[in-house]
Every structure is written in C-alpha cells, then in structure tokens.
Amino acid sequence: ENGQAQVRNRRMEQSSSDPRTTRDNEGEVDAEEQENLKYGAKHVMMLIIPVSLCMILVIITIRVVTLYEAASKPTVYLVYTPFNDQNDLTTGSPISDGVINMLIVIAIVIVMTCFLVLLYKCRCYKVIHGWLFLSSLILLFMFTFLYLNEVVIRFNLAMDYITIALVVWNFGIMGIISIHWKGPLILQQAYLLIISALMALVFIRHLPEWTLWFILGGIAIYDLFAVLCPKGPLRILVETAEARNEPIFPALIYSSTMMWTVGMADGEPVGGYNPLNSNAPPVDNQPPEEQGVKLGLGDFIFYSVLVGKAATADDWNTVIACFFAILIGLCLTLLILAIVKKALPALPISIFAGIVFYACTRFCIKPMCDQMALHQVYL
C-alpha cells in the first residue's frame, strides 16, 4: 500500500510539474479573463448608449421647443412643491423654499418606496402591476399628448385633434403592450427611454429652479441609503427578489439584455451579478446572452433632468460638460460594481460629478471665455 501511494504521489508531482499542463491552465485562465472583460465592456456600452440617447432626446426637446427654455417661466408647479414664488406659502427665499420642497419630495419618495416594498413582501403583485400600469398609462397618453401638442405648436403644423388622438392612442397602446405584456426587446427599451425623457421634461418644466437642484442632490444621497443601508428599501426589495428567485418589475428597470415574461410567479429570473439600484437578483446559472446590466428608470430620469437643466442655460459648453460628467460617473460606478459584485446606487457619482461640472463650467469657464472673446484673446 505504501508503494502504491508513493507511485500516485510521483504521478501527481509529474503532472503538476508538466509545463504543457501549466500552459494549458494558464491559457484557460487568460481566455476566461478575456471573455469576462469582453462581456463586461459589451454591457457597459449597452447601458451608456441608452443613457446617452435619453439625455440627447431631452436636450433636443429643450433646445427646439420654446416651452422649456429658461425665459419661459412656468405658470404651474408640481403639487408637492408648495413653497414657490407663485404661492402664498413661501419663506421669501428661493434657497430655503428649495430645501423645504426637497425634504417634502424626499419624504414622499421614501413613503412610496416603502409602500412598494411592503406590497412586494406581502406578494400583492396585482396591486403593484395595477399601480405601475396606471403610471405608464398616464405617461404614455396624457404626457405624450401634451408633448406632441407643444411640438405641433412650435413647428406650426396643421393637425386636427382626431389625428393627434389616433397617434397618441396607437403609441400608448403599443407601449403598454411592450412594457407590461410581450414585445420585442428593442421596442420595450425604446418605450422605457421615452417614458424617462417625458418624466424628466415634466420635472424640468414644473419644478422651481432651486428646488430642482436641491432635489438632485437629495435624491442622490437618498439613493446611497436606499441601496447600501442594510435596512434600505431598495436593498430589501433586491434581497427579497433574490430569495424568491423572481425578477423585478419591467416598468421599473431598464435591462441591457432580457425579455420580460407575463406574471411574476411564472417568469424566469434574469440578470448577472451586477444589478444597479432596484435590479433583478444575481443568478449564476444564466447563459451569457441572458445576463446583463440593469439600471433603474429613476437613474435615467435624473440624469436627463441634470443635463436638461444645463441645456436651459443656453451654453453648449455647460451641456457637454454635464453630459460627459454623467457618463464618466456611470462608468466609474460600473467599475466599482465589477469589483464588489453587489447592488450599487447609480446616481451619487454621476449626479455629484454633473453638479460640480455644471457649476465650474457655468460660473467659471463660461465667464472667462466670454471675457477672452470680448478682448479678442485666443489661446
């Protein structure tokens, strides 16, 4: 027996010291690392492209439709921002009004998110689907009609209400089917981007200026708490979905590669190890073509709000600076995501980078460039 054991040990030592075996193992490791790198870069681009398209859509709308220009002062503000210059309920200072409005909005977001998590924990899927269905209905019909009406007025197009109603009806019904039932992936993604852009335009138009900036900063801080805190609502939502082996609702998530199925209980979970915000849980046995990075629609909305607000300043340098600051912040978030391999908030880095770039470009670089152009100084 001792002799047989020695023979086995020699064979194992020979196989471990065989240079061909070592080279094969190293080759397999290198191939795996290259595949992971290629897969990660592919899905990073599959998020950067839709984020860019959503922001570009908002920028074009603001630059073309005069309703959203800075000189066009809104006549109606959102109901949950009562402290403004058109209301008797004001402190007299736009900064203090903005802080109070921000606290009200954040409180509403926290209450609604906790209510959503409670419904999900109690398996009230029909209530959640009805809630999201109603929200999509309002966005795809009412907001689309208002947007189309402004575009028609801006370009002085001759279009009767019957034609507009038919266009909005077909557009809205197709969106409802694609998001909440079945449809091509590219169509679902397109509708999610349009919904995000419409919501961003509503915020830009109907939020007081200081309130909007405070909300951007406050929602980014709240995102840190909601995702990273052990008792954060979005973290509870992700962990509950992971424990139940279920996907998150399609009306809340943009996915780079997936097809949603009907019904929460019967749907197959999708996603890799890298969810962002309220994303689907990690599933290790998914094939590569079904894995993908997922981003909450709220991230698309607030990215577009920041860039859109910069576009109202009538300075392309500020717009471009904010645009690339957000993309750089998103890339840094995805880089950290690949390291820690757990759900991360997608707003903080991008939003704070965008705010810093906006302030530096608007109040430092732009005045300097104007003075240089005035005195004909060129570098």
Side-chain angles (χ1 to χ4, degrees), residues 4 20 74 126 134 195 198 205 208 259-260 267 276 287 306 354 375:
Q4 292 177 356
R20 289 178 298 179
K126 292 184 179 180
L134 182 62
I195 286 177
L198 289 174
R205 172 62 180 170
M259 284 292 288
W260 291 99
L276 284 177
L306 197 155
H375 294 86

Side-chain angles (χ1 to χ4, degrees), residues 179-198:
I179 295 174
H180 294 279
W181 195 49
K182 292 182 180 180
L185 175 62
I186 187 68
L187 190 62
Q188 184 194 79
Q189 293 173 335
Y191 271 102
L192 292 177
L193 295 184
I194 292 172
I195 286 177
S196 302
L198 289 174

Side-chain angles (χ1 to χ4, degrees), residues 45-348:
M45 290 304 301
M46 293 177 75
L47 268 189
I48 289 179
I49 291 174
V51 168
S52 301
L53 290 176
C54 187
M55 293 191 293
I56 290 172
L57 177 59
V58 172
I59 293 171
I60 292 174
T61 300
I62 290 176
R63 302 300 298 174
V64 172
V65 181
T66 56
L67 179 70
Y68 300 99
E69 292 180 352
S72 178
K73 193 172 182 179
T75 58
V76 178
Y77 290 114
L78 296 179
V79 67
Y80 39 81
T81 56
F83 290 83
N84 54 70
D85 56 0
Q86 296 183 1
N87 197 336
D88 295 335
L89 190 64
T90 178
T91 62
S93 171
I95 296 179
S96 57
D97 286 348
V99 172
I100 297 174
N101 287 333
M102 181 266 293
L103 294 176
I104 294 173
V105 171
I106 297 298
I108 293 174
V109 170
I110 292 174
V111 171
M112 299 304 290
T113 306
C114 292
F115 182 60
L116 175 65
V117 173
L118 180 62
L119 290 176
Y120 188 75
K121 294 278 286 187
C122 297
R123 298 181 183 271
C124 299
Y125 297 142
K126 292 184 179 180
V127 177
I128 299 176
H129 277 298
W131 181 5
L132 297 177
F133 182 85
L134 182 62
S135 301
S136 302
L137 205 66
I138 294 174
L139 285 167
L140 290 174
F141 284 90
M142 187 178 73
F143 286 4
T144 302
F145 171 77
L146 296 175
Y147 177 81
L148 186 60
N149 185 57
E150 293 300 329
V151 172
V152 169
I153 294 174
R154 170 63 179 84
F155 292 101
N156 197 23
L157 301 176
M159 186 176 294
D160 57 90
Y161 280 105
I162 297 177
T163 303
I164 293 179
L166 288 175
V167 171
V168 172
W169 171 260
N170 285 278
F171 177 82
I173 290 298
M174 183 59 68
I176 293 295
I177 293 173
S178 300
I179 295 174
H180 294 279
W181 195 49
K182 292 182 180 180
L185 175 62
I186 187 68
L187 190 62
Q188 184 194 79
Q189 293 173 335
Y191 271 102
L192 292 177
L193 295 184
I194 292 172
I195 286 177
S196 302
L198 289 174
M199 200 69 229
L201 290 171
V202 171
F203 285 155
I204 294 170
R205 172 62 180 170
H206 297 289
L207 281 178
E209 183 171 2
W210 281 98
T211 298
L212 187 144
W213 289 111
F214 281 117
I215 287 177
L216 284 173
I219 205 71
I221 296 173
Y222 163 74
D223 204 26
L224 281 171
F225 160 77
V227 178
L228 299 181
C229 181
K231 298 298 181 181
L234 294 181
R235 180 165 183 172
I236 294 175
L237 184 65
V238 172
E239 290 177 350
T240 305
E242 180 180 359
R244 296 178 183 177
N245 204 25
E246 295 173 347
I248 305 295
F249 301 94
L252 297 175
I253 295 295
Y254 177 95
S255 175
S256 59
T257 54
M258 64 168 295
M259 284 292 288
W260 291 99
T261 55
V262 182
M264 287 292 297
D266 298 331
E268 291 295 329
V270 296
Y273 62 81
N274 43 8
L276 284 177
N277 277 8
S278 51
N279 301 332
V283 180
D284 295 331
N285 58 355
Q286 294 296 324
E289 62 272 11
E290 293 185 6
Q291 296 179 350
V293 184
K294 299 172 181 62
L295 193 65
L297 288 193
D299 303 323
F300 282 90
I301 292 172
F302 289 106
Y303 291 161
S304 302
V305 167
L306 197 155
V307 174
K309 194 60 182 178
T312 62
D314 197 20
D315 178 34
W316 280 107
N317 291 330
T318 306
V319 176
I320 294 172
C322 292
F323 184 90
F324 284 104
I326 288 174
L327 294 184
I328 292 171
L330 180 60
C331 291
L332 289 176
T333 304
L334 294 173
L335 178 63
I336 299 173
L337 185 68
I339 297 173
V340 299
K341 297 184 179 181
K342 67 176 183 178
L344 289 178
L347 282 179

